[in-house]
Amino acid sequence: MTSERGRAEPCDILLVEDNPGDIRLTEEAFKTGRIANTLHVVEDGVKALDFLFQRNEYADAPQPDLVLLDLNLPRKNGDEVLKELHEDPDRRRIPVIVLTSSEAEMDVVNSYELCASGYLTKPVDPNEFIDMILELERFWFSIMRLPSDTALD
């Protein structure tokens, strides 16, 4: 897939999710939809920040083109991850979609105040969840225009 970033290779997507069932559904959506992008998975907010800041075991991790972030995470929650990303000039432009089970209006407001690029509530039905992931991938990598890598330097 060629992305708007002008890459012929797959884009890197970081899924920050602690629920094994939701991880499996997301992986299934990628397989079902034959999504060529690379999905990286971490299970908590500390690992997410290590991945994004290329620290510790993630020193060689690629900078993701998109982050799918659950809010309810162990160690550091999604709000804390968003806050640290937004405060870093080298990472604040990485699009972050909050993907959570929370329908609370305050969570929506807080996420956007912390500069989330979008907020999606996970459907309960597994087929609807897979459909949502497929649409999300299509939207971000086929319809949306993202800054080029050189524009981020």
Side-chain angles (χ1 to χ4, degrees):
M1 162 184 271
T2 302
S3 73
E4 284 296 323
R5 295 184 134 189
R7 295 181 180 175
E9 74 271 7
C11 294
D12 290 293
I13 299 172
L14 176 61
L15 174 64
V16 186
E17 175 60 67
D18 65 324
N19 181 320
D22 289 344
I23 293 169
R24 265 192 317 276
L25 283 174
T26 305
E27 291 170 339
E28 185 177 326
F30 273 63
K31 185 177 177 182
T32 301
R34 295 187 176 109
I35 297 172
N37 294 326
T38 304
L39 183 67
H40 306 272
V41 180
V42 295
E43 300 84 18
D44 65 54
V46 171
K47 287 182 180 181
L49 290 168
D50 282 351
F51 190 102
L52 290 159
F53 285 87
Q54 298 167 311
R55 302 184 295 225
N56 301 321
E57 67 184 283
Y58 301 104
D60 295 325
Q63 193 70 270
D65 299 291
L66 179 67
V67 177
L68 304 177
L69 176 68
D70 189 15
L71 289 181
N72 303 309
L73 297 166
R75 299 173 67 194
K76 281 197 181 218
N77 66 35
D79 287 345
E80 293 171 302
V81 172
L82 280 169
K83 186 176 187 301
E84 286 195 41
L85 280 179
H86 179 66
E87 290 173 350
D88 185 88
D90 294 330
R91 287 161 184 85
R92 71 173 52 150
R93 291 186 187 158
I94 299 170
V96 179
I97 304 297
V98 172
L99 182 60
T100 187
S101 57
S102 174
E103 293 184 18
E105 186 65 22
M106 196 59 174
D107 286 341
V108 176
V109 170
N110 285 341
S111 294
Y112 281 112
E113 284 181 354
L114 292 168
C115 298
S117 303
Y119 189 102
L120 295 171
T121 303
K122 297 174 191 171
V124 176
D125 179 85
N127 291 325
E128 289 178 16
F129 184 91
I130 290 170
D131 289 344
M132 183 186 69
I133 294 296
L134 294 172
E135 285 300 312
L136 175 71
E137 193 276 342
R138 186 179 79 75
F139 176 76
W140 277 98
F141 295 108
S142 298
I143 296 172
M144 283 297 293
R145 180 169 180 210
L146 299 173
S148 68
D149 287 336
T150 56
L152 296 176
D153 293 333

